[in-house]
């Protein structure tokens, strides 16, 4: 059975912590054999509801263009076997993307990689979402987050509400990140299905289903931050990785580590992750692995 790509629930990343770690710039974006599957799903979701996938506030166009330029340079420089450019066309897989197409630059950038992309700008009240192309939200809505501050975005997250210590820390960290530096962090949750696109209404609908631990998935978000040198805007990337619980239970030590992470969560953290009624059953399942 294939090993999970990332396992932040093994104790290497503390849940509900900022947990930024610097990585080499060449490791910024990951490309792998799943790229076409992700891009095809992006195409489908975008075609069904463009406003749900793409949002931009006035004045974000220059930062969007810079994000596209920086991303293309990275793909050509660090993923040259997979990407090539001829004129204003980027070629990869069996796809061709016209970089000068009459589309928002961030939407073009999102058509190049598996990651979702969000631009934040430091405006009145702190860092705010200026633009985003998000096809694969993890129970949140880009339309609801556009234009909001980091604190407002993280309002439902325990200990990250506006004005909290963590809210202030994130804003100061964003201020201090130097252009060209890339930092990485991880989130994870338990989901009942492996759909990439997971708007809030889907979670609410499936929450009524009976909980079978063996049929669930671990949804991992690999997040990166990179400050753009010209505009000073922040490019935030989110790549989704999903693994069946079976990939964890095939490794008893990893199953025990996941159970320990669940046991350590507070009531507020469990409620945020939708695990209040499910934790004990999942922990028992993980700890009974032979």
């Amino acid at each position: 059975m294939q090993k999970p790509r990332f396992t932040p629930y093994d104790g290497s990343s503390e849940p509900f912590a900022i947990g930024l770690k610097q990585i080499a710039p060449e490791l910024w974006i990951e490309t792998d054999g799943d790229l076409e599957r992700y891009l095809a799903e992006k195409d489908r979701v975008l075609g069904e509801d463009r406003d749900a996938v793409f949002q931009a506030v006035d004045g974000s166009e220059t930062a969007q263009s810079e994000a596209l330029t920086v991303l293309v340079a990275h793909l050509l420089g660090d993923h040259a076997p997979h990407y090539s450019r001829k004129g204003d066309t980027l070629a990869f897989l069996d796809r061709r993307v016209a970089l000068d197409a009459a589309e928002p630059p961030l939407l073009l950038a999102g058509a190049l990689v598996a990651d979702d992309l969000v631009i934040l700008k430091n405006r009145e009240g702190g860092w705010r979402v200026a633009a985003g192309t998000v096809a694969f939200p993890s129970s949140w809505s880009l339309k609801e987050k556009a234009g909001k501050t980091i604190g407002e975005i993280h309002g439902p997250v325990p200990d990250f509400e506006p004005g909290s210590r963590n809210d202030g820390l994130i804003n100061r960290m964003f201020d201090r990140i130097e252009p060209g530096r890339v930092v990485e962090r991880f989130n994870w949750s338990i989901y009942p299905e492996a759909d990439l696109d997971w708007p809030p209404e889907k979670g609410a609908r499936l929450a009524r289903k009976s909980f079978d631990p063996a049929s669930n998935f671990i949804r991992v978000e690999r997040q990166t931050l990179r400050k753009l040198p010209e505009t000073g805007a922040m490019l935030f990337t989110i790549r989704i990785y999903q693994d069946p619980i079976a990939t964890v239970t095939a490794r008893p030590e990893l199953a025990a580590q996941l159970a320990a992470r669940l046991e350590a969560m507070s009531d507020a953290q469990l409620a945020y992750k939708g695990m209040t009624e499910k934790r004990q059953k999942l922990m028992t399942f993980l700890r009974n692995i032979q």
Side-chain angles (χ1 to χ4, degrees):
M1 184 172 294
Q2 186 175 354
K3 182 180 179 181
R5 177 70 180 90
F6 296 106
T7 57
Y9 43 86
D10 62 4
S12 57
S13 295
E14 195 66 28
F16 295 93
I18 298 170
L20 296 178
K21 181 183 74 172
Q22 184 165 330
I23 61 172
E26 59 267 26
L27 301 178
W28 177 31
I29 299 295
E30 294 209 329
T31 58
D32 53 40
D34 278 338
L35 180 57
E36 177 57 38
R37 178 171 68 89
Y38 279 68
L39 293 177
E41 182 65 2
K42 281 189 177 188
D43 293 342
R44 184 191 68 79
V45 177
L46 183 66
E48 289 183 356
D49 192 345
R50 182 185 174 97
D51 286 344
V53 175
F54 179 77
Q55 290 285 313
V57 302
D58 291 340
S60 67
E61 294 80 11
T62 302
Q64 289 188 54
S65 294
E66 187 181 13
L68 176 60
T69 298
V70 169
L71 179 61
V72 168
H74 168 70
L75 295 175
L76 292 173
D78 296 308
H79 300 283
H82 307 292
Y83 292 84
S84 63
R85 181 170 184 169
K86 185 175 183 179
D88 286 319
T89 299
L90 200 70
F92 60 103
L93 302 174
D94 291 325
R95 292 173 174 257
R96 303 292 183 270
V97 175
L99 302 176
D100 58 350
E103 289 282 5
L106 193 65
L107 200 57
L108 294 174
L112 306 177
V113 294
D115 306 57
D116 285 329
L117 308 173
V118 177
I119 290 175
L120 299 106
K121 296 182 70 175
N122 196 357
R123 295 180 170 179
E124 63 282 355
W127 289 85
R128 294 178 178 270
V129 173
T133 173
V134 179
F136 309 139
S138 297
S139 301
W140 60 281
S141 165
L142 178 63
K143 284 193 285 189
E144 295 178 359
K145 306 296 185 184
K148 291 187 176 181
T149 65
I150 291 174
E152 291 168 337
I153 293 167
H154 289 146
V157 183
D159 301 321
F160 281 81
E161 62 276 359
S164 66
R165 178 178 177 274
N166 283 326
D167 180 28
L169 280 173
I170 293 173
N171 277 277
R172 290 192 293 275
M173 286 180 179
F174 277 30
D175 291 341
R176 291 196 297 265
I177 292 176
E178 296 293 329
R181 181 185 174 204
V182 181
V183 295
E184 173 189 73
R185 70 181 301 273
F186 293 91
N187 274 344
W188 62 271
S189 294
I190 308 297
Y191 276 62
E193 295 180 358
D195 293 353
L196 288 167
D197 176 30
W198 203 274
E201 58 270 21
K202 182 179 291 186
R205 184 174 68 251
L206 292 176
R208 297 188 290 270
K209 291 180 60 177
S210 60
F211 179 64
D212 174 18
S215 66
N216 277 246
F217 294 79
I218 301 183
R219 183 181 179 102
V220 173
E221 294 183 3
R222 177 185 181 258
Q223 304 175 352
T224 74
L225 292 162
R226 181 169 188 157
K227 186 173 285 185
L228 304 176
E230 298 297 327
T231 60
M234 191 75 73
L235 181 55
F236 175 51
T237 75
I238 312 163
R239 168 69 190 269
I240 302 296
Y241 295 85
Q242 299 186 106
D243 300 298
I245 285 288
T247 63
V248 175
T249 56
R251 298 163 178 83
E253 182 179 357
L254 188 58
Q257 291 166 338
L258 174 56
R261 297 268 72 77
L262 291 166
E263 187 171 35
M265 285 184 184
S266 69
D267 290 344
Q269 291 170 345
L270 288 169
Y272 175 75
K273 286 187 175 288
M275 292 299 297
T276 301
E277 305 298 328
K278 304 172 184 176
R279 173 173 65 173
Q280 190 57 53
K281 192 172 184 178
L282 179 55
M283 284 170 50
T284 300
F285 174 77
L286 292 168
R287 286 172 171 164
N288 284 339
I289 298 301
Q290 300 299 317

